[in-house]
Amino acid sequence: MKKVKSIALLLVILLISISLAACGEDKPKLNVYNWGDYIDMDVLDQFEDEFGIEVVYDTFATNEDLYVKLKQGGSSYDVIFPSEYMIERMVREDLLEKIDKANIPNFDKIGEQFLGLEYDPNNEYSVPYMWGTVGIIYNKTMVNEPLDSWADLWNEQYAGQIVMLKSQRDTLAVALKKLGYSLNSRNEKELEEAKAELIKQKPLVLAYMGDEIKDALISGEAAIGVVWSGDAVAMIRENPDLAYVIPKEGTNLWFDAMVIPKNAQNKEAAEKFINFMTRPDIAAKNADYIGYSSPVPEAVKLLPEEVQNDPVSYPTAEEIENTEVFKDPADIIQVYDRIWTEITSEE
Amino acid sequence: MKFKRFTIPYILWLSLFIVIPLLLIVFYALSSGDSQNFSTFEFSFASLERFFSSPVYIKVLIRSVRLAVVSTVICLILGYPIAYIISKENPKKRNVLILMFVIPMWMNFLLRTYAWLTLLGKSGIINSIIMKLGFQPLELLYNDTAILLGMVYNFLPFMVLPIFSVLTKIDFKLIEAAEDLGANKITTFRRVVFPLSLPGVMTGISMVFIPAVSTFVISDLLGGSKASLIGNLIEQQFRYTGDWHFGSAMSIILMVFILITMALTSKFDKEKEGEGGGLW
């Protein structure tokens, strides 16, 4: 009797697992790997409904994280969202598939100033997704003077209230800019100086954070933080006491784009997805939700007036005059890695 | 002898998931080149040299060991009395108490650590009570104390359970004998109960020390990633930097440390010849 029971149990388990496995086979799948908090989930549902493709959505925290995961293999994504310098590196290392423009009719909707940029001069590999700047966000009720400089992050008055990004390039860029160097510096002496600056700053820093930085500033846990412009928009929406500023030393102008990795399983669906995300109504809905700035002018026109005129999201040409775009550090990446490891190891 | 063939699956499992990965780590630690491309590998001590030639990394190792030792000691000081008190209850009550001790562990470790963020934050529960009482908020998060708290909180059950299981198995006749021979309660504990419970203590120490010395989540969340532990450094090499050689070298160094502690504790175990409670 006991034997019969256990065999029956095994059969049931087998049946369940087969049926579960079968469920997954029904629809074609699209594996999307994006930054955390970087899409309106409704848009994904809409895509699933319109195209009958199941989206498997997963997130990463930094470009380096994405790169290592892609390079190590074992995971297959169809669409990923790296930033410009990482795209440059991935193209150099032949990790990306060329995109067939014929399948992306909405490519024409992308604003001209976002095309032909250095990281992908012929727009062969990438379709721009969002763009923005890096700046300082601060709580006006906790900081009694308007901030306007990276050096403010070294002001001892704000000890224990400053949050920095847990991201190698972005945080090094802050120190390099503070020192007046290029954020693409390849000079080891300059990089060592930046390292010393960041180590000097450490006692003043409350924590190094990824996406948690948003909660820390919204809740008043910290007074000052380094953030990407789009996050700043979302944060100010939640807590109007916050203000975003592009420091006078200049900052990083960045572009995130959608690309298809070499080992993609479903390139056709990937192109459909990229085209869908670039469609003005979808791009607008998405940009409105996450707070980042869309490179699709028609989409921007669909946004509420106050968003269109928000200098945080859509700064004037003058305001971004003093900006630099990240370049692939190529061979000097090891120096970056070593310096970052040393900064995080310091007590 | 008949049972020998039943061990084959276990031996296969062991070699596939423990021995081969370990050998791979040693292989990576002792070579250099592009982590993803075997053809570029060369035998070299570069990664080990990098670790031992830089005071930064040594400092991280010392810091990790220091925090792990402190948290183990705190767990022992807190855990032993708890285990002792629970073991003295009648079996029914005892089981309920142990169950209550284990229930929080049914929840995910990461979630429980996140919960401390909302407790300790500047606008968290503890600080809002303090502020209601008219005091300045305390800096509870993002320092070593918060990391220690996280370690003790998460690993305390691993200290209590083995000690408890040894204590409940002590033959009560031995205690009666000690009392008959005129020992008072303190002497009985010192000369009979405590020595007999040592195997459980040793197991508890290794079970707390090992996860504490290698953790990276607790220092990330409660320490605000400000000062890395060796676990963070290893994580960083694999997740962000992609330097598997250096990551493996550090893993080996950490493993050597853990092996030393285990060797010390198991030596103690054998000398004391206690019953049960030992994990290995």
Side-chain angles (χ1 to χ4, degrees):
Chain A
M1 199 51 206
K2 221 173 176 183
K3 217 171 190 178
V4 175
K5 259 191 193 162
S6 52
I7 289 172
L9 185 71
L10 270 179
L11 275 176
V12 169
I13 292 172
L14 199 67
L15 273 176
I16 293 174
S17 44
I18 288 171
S19 54
L20 279 178
C23 274
E25 305 281 307
D26 271 346
K27 285 187 196 166
K29 263 195 197 148
L30 178 73
N31 290 296
V32 179
Y33 199 38
N34 193 358
W35 295 78
D37 253 354
Y38 205 32
I39 205 163
D40 179 357
M41 286 297 184
D42 284 351
V43 167
L44 287 183
D45 290 340
Q46 209 173 327
F47 177 76
E48 287 187 331
D49 290 345
E50 270 184 42
F51 294 88
I53 294 169
E54 192 192 333
V55 177
V56 183
Y57 190 73
D58 203 359
T59 61
F60 58 85
T62 70
N63 276 306
E64 287 70 26
D65 202 356
L66 165 70
Y67 171 81
V68 170
K69 190 115 181 234
L70 196 69
K71 187 94 183 180
Q72 282 169 359
S75 51
S76 79
Y77 295 105
D78 300 309
V79 181
I80 54 173
F81 293 67
S83 306
E84 70 299 287
Y85 73 94
M86 198 46 82
I87 294 175
E88 209 179 320
R89 181 172 182 187
M90 287 171 169
V91 170
R92 180 166 57 86
E93 297 184 12
D94 195 28
L95 295 172
L96 301 181
E97 195 76 56
K98 278 192 183 168
I99 291 176
D100 188 353
K101 258 6 130 9
N103 296 330
I104 320 244
N106 288 334
F107 191 81
D108 301 337
K109 313 263 191 212
I110 304 272
E112 239 175 68
Q113 69 270 41
F114 303 103
L115 298 177
L117 294 169
E118 209 175 327
Y119 66 92
D120 185 11
N122 304 318
N123 306 304
E124 287 170 306
Y125 296 95
S126 63
V127 177
Y129 178 64
M130 295 285 162
W131 66 280
T133 54
V134 177
I136 298 175
I137 192 158
Y138 62 97
N139 192 319
K140 287 178 278 186
T141 62
M142 296 162 84
V143 174
N144 35 30
E145 54 187 332
L147 305 183
D148 66 345
S149 159
W150 290 121
D152 290 328
L153 297 173
W154 273 258
N155 185 339
E156 279 176 25
Q157 201 185 327
Y158 306 121
Q161 303 191 55
I162 299 166
V163 187
M164 296 293 284
L165 284 169
K166 198 169 98 189
S167 163
Q168 175 176 323
R169 284 226 64 185
D170 296 292
T171 299
L172 267 174
V174 168
L176 284 166
K177 276 284 154 194
K178 183 199 175 230
L179 293 166
Y181 300 135
S182 159
L183 45 75
N184 289 311
S185 174
R186 304 178 54 82
N187 178 333
E188 217 164 309
K189 205 183 119 257
E190 291 178 4
L191 290 167
E192 285 292 335
E193 268 181 66
K195 176 183 114 184
E197 278 297 310
L198 288 170
I199 290 173
K200 200 172 90 191
Q201 184 207 22
K202 250 189 146 170
L204 310 179
V205 175
L206 175 70
Y208 295 83
M209 295 178 166
D211 281 326
E212 312 96 283
I213 207 167
K214 292 195 226 174
D215 292 327
L217 273 133
I218 292 168
S219 69
E221 183 79 37
I224 305 173
V226 178
V227 289
W228 292 285
S229 50
D231 280 349
V233 172
M235 288 154 82
I236 294 168
R237 217 184 279 161
E238 299 262 335
N239 183 350
D241 289 334
L242 296 173
Y244 177 82
V245 61
I246 296 176
K248 61 183 181 211
E249 295 95 335
T251 190
N252 167 226
L253 179 69
W254 54 262
F255 306 94
D256 289 343
M258 296 175 274
V259 300
I260 303 177
K262 264 267 147 69
N263 57 354
Q265 301 286 311
N266 197 346
K267 189 171 183 241
E268 193 194 326
E271 285 173 340
K272 274 184 191 153
F273 180 79
I274 293 174
N275 190 46
F276 178 79
M277 292 309 293
T278 314
R279 207 168 82 192
D281 62 316
I282 298 297
K285 189 175 176 198
N286 193 30
D288 190 32
Y289 178 85
I290 60 175
Y292 278 87
S293 325
S294 173
V296 183
E298 272 181 60
V300 177
K301 281 199 200 93
L302 294 173
L303 292 172
E305 195 105 328
E306 70 268 20
V307 177
Q308 287 187 44
N309 299 326
D310 185 350
V312 179
S313 300
Y314 299 98
T316 59
E318 197 180 296
E319 281 169 303
I320 53 170
E321 204 177 5
N322 195 9
T323 55
E324 262 185 289
V325 179
F326 275 138
K327 283 195 200 101
D328 172 21
D331 51 309
I332 207 157
I333 186 77
Q334 276 145 8
V335 179
Y336 274 76
D337 283 339
R338 177 180 57 79
I339 282 179
W340 183 242
T341 307
E342 285 173 10
I343 293 166
T344 54
S345 305
E346 202 66 45
E347 211 166 325
Chain B
M1 282 321 267
K2 207 180 129 202
F3 286 102
K4 218 164 190 182
R5 62 197 168 101
F6 290 110
T7 61
I8 291 171
Y10 298 107
I11 290 170
L12 266 176
W13 178 275
L14 274 173
S15 44
L16 209 60
F17 294 110
I18 299 174
V19 179
I20 294 174
L22 266 176
L23 289 176
L24 269 176
I25 293 178
V26 174
F27 174 62
Y28 269 102
L30 295 179
S31 55
S32 66
D34 179 1
S35 298
Q36 305 306 323
N37 191 349
F38 278 100
S39 59
T40 64
F41 281 21
E42 286 169 9
F43 177 80
S44 106
F45 287 114
S47 300
L48 289 169
E49 255 175 57
R50 178 175 166 196
F51 188 89
F52 287 109
S53 63
S54 160
V56 176
Y57 304 128
I58 304 279
K59 262 192 339 207
V60 172
L61 182 65
I62 292 172
R63 196 176 116 84
S64 311
V65 173
R66 194 188 73 219
L67 282 174
V69 167
V70 173
S71 68
T72 311
V73 169
I74 297 175
C75 278
L76 183 60
I77 293 170
L78 287 176
Y80 198 97
I82 298 172
Y84 188 79
I85 292 165
I86 297 178
S87 73
K88 286 284 157 258
E89 294 294 340
N90 67 53
K92 221 172 161 187
K93 209 169 165 191
R94 200 157 77 186
N95 289 343
V96 174
L97 286 172
I98 278 295
L99 185 71
M100 278 164 60
F101 214 80
V102 173
I103 282 178
M105 288 168 72
W106 294 359
M107 212 170 53
N108 183 287
F109 158 77
L110 203 57
L111 285 179
R112 281 183 286 137
T113 310
Y114 262 109
W116 279 105
L117 287 178
T118 55
L119 287 174
L120 299 177
K122 218 173 264 173
S123 39
I125 294 168
I126 295 175
N127 266 328
S128 44
I129 294 171
I130 290 176
M131 282 196 282
K132 277 253 167 65
L133 296 173
F135 298 104
Q136 280 293 309
L138 300 170
E139 305 240 332
L140 300 169
L141 256 188
Y142 308 127
N143 51 38
D144 281 1
T145 321
I147 298 178
L148 276 177
L149 179 75
M151 285 180 178
V152 170
Y153 167 73
N154 277 308
F155 306 136
L156 186 59
F158 298 114
M159 183 64 86
V160 173
L161 293 175
I163 297 177
F164 167 77
S165 85
V166 170
L167 283 175
T168 51
K169 278 183 200 136
I170 290 177
D171 192 346
F172 197 67
K173 283 179 207 139
L174 293 172
I175 296 165
E176 283 174 342
E179 281 167 357
D180 284 349
L181 292 171
N184 62 19
K185 277 208 160 135
I186 294 168
T187 317
T188 313
F189 177 78
R190 203 166 48 85
R191 303 283 300 271
V192 181
V193 178
F194 188 69
L196 284 174
S197 69
L198 271 178
V201 172
M202 290 304 145
T203 308
I205 288 176
S206 7
M207 288 192 60
V208 172
F209 181 78
I210 293 169
V213 80
S214 55
T215 184
F216 60 89
V217 176
I218 296 175
S219 50
D220 244 10
L221 289 178
L222 300 177
S225 312
K226 261 199 292 191
S228 295
L229 298 184
I230 188 88
N232 297 96
L233 277 188
I234 296 172
E235 185 213 8
Q236 203 180 353
Q237 297 310 312
F238 284 97
R239 275 193 65 193
Y240 304 103
T241 314
D243 187 348
W244 289 20
H245 301 289
F246 191 44
S248 301
M250 285 192 287
S251 305
I252 293 282
I253 292 162
L254 182 58
M255 263 187 260
V256 168
F257 251 91
I258 292 173
L259 276 175
I260 293 171
T261 16
M262 271 176 58
L264 285 177
T265 53
S266 71
K267 194 171 160 245
F268 217 89
D269 263 1
K270 272 188 207 114
E271 279 169 10
K272 289 293 165 186
E273 280 298 327
E275 266 179 50
L279 269 184
W280 32 72

